[in-house]
Amino acid sequence: MKSLLVAFTFSILSIQTSAEGAHHATSPYAQEAARDIKSLSATDVDELTRGGGWGFAKPAEFNGYPGPSHVLQMKDQLGLTDDQLPKVQEAFDLMQVQASEEGKVFVEAERELDAAFRSRAITESELRDLVAAAEASRSRLRFIHLAAHIEVTQLLDAGQIAAYGKHRGYSK
């Protein structure tokens, strides 16, 4: 009985020690601490400022609303007509200009948020304003990308939309 009690006590202590050690583990984000903007990688900044999608349009893309960039890349496989091609190109060009402009706004908002924390003097009120500005920009960016998917889908026929889904690997 004593040996069972001793074994139980040691196992509890070793579990406790293991748990305490886990609290002192290196953060999986440690390598990101050297970033210019802590919340964005250099790749993120590039993607956002050039008008790239950054995954914003996944709800449209995965639910049968083709994106202008991919439709243009797949124009031959989709059989775009001479009438469709310039319209899709126009939708893409407008989306990219708008997304690039708004992407720069979003990156700057994240830069300001990062700088406020770096100053070590941020207030809750300032935080609220900075987060609201960044999220408003992010919302506008997402709208720009999703709206372009709606616009392009209206230009395609059902067969082209089905072919798009098949070529992108979304349909079975």
Side-chain angles (χ1 to χ4, degrees):
M1 180 71 170
K2 271 187 177 178
S3 60
L4 185 59
L5 184 58
V6 169
F8 179 73
T9 303
F10 279 115
S11 56
I12 294 296
L13 288 174
S14 56
I15 290 171
Q16 184 179 2
T17 303
S18 294
E20 288 173 1
H23 293 292
H24 299 343
T26 301
S27 169
Y29 307 116
Q31 63 193 19
E32 298 173 11
R35 290 178 176 176
D36 179 41
I37 303 170
K38 306 305 182 232
S39 61
L40 300 173
S41 70
T43 303
D44 293 335
V45 171
D46 178 60
E47 175 88 355
L48 290 160
T49 58
R50 71 172 175 77
W54 211 48
F56 284 127
K58 286 179 181 179
E61 180 75 11
F62 295 154
N63 285 293
Y65 288 80
S69 173
H70 302 299
V71 168
L72 290 172
Q73 291 168 353
M74 299 167 41
K75 64 185 176 195
D76 295 332
Q77 294 100 315
L78 300 179
L80 288 188
T81 66
D82 290 342
D83 184 51
Q84 289 173 314
L85 185 58
K87 291 176 182 175
V88 173
Q89 185 68 55
E90 183 180 331
F92 172 74
D93 292 343
L94 179 60
M95 176 206 67
Q96 189 153 48
V97 166
Q98 291 175 336
S100 176
E101 290 172 3
E102 193 60 49
K104 291 172 187 167
V105 171
F106 178 66
V107 167
E108 186 55 33
E110 288 292 317
R111 185 182 315 281
E112 289 175 14
L113 180 61
D114 190 72
F117 273 98
R118 193 170 36 255
S119 76
R120 311 221 28 100
I122 189 170
T123 65
E124 192 171 310
S125 174
E126 183 182 13
L127 174 61
R128 183 171 282 108
D129 292 344
L130 290 168
V131 168
E135 291 308 309
S137 179
R138 185 179 189 281
S139 175
R140 289 188 298 270
L141 264 172
R142 194 161 200 208
F143 178 84
I144 290 165
H145 285 285
L146 289 166
H149 281 249
I150 292 171
E151 182 179 356
V152 167
T153 300
Q154 294 170 350
L155 300 172
L156 305 176
D157 64 38
Q160 290 169 317
I161 294 168
Y164 178 90
K166 181 179 178 191
H167 286 295
R168 296 284 287 161
Y170 305 141
S171 56
K172 297 177 180 169

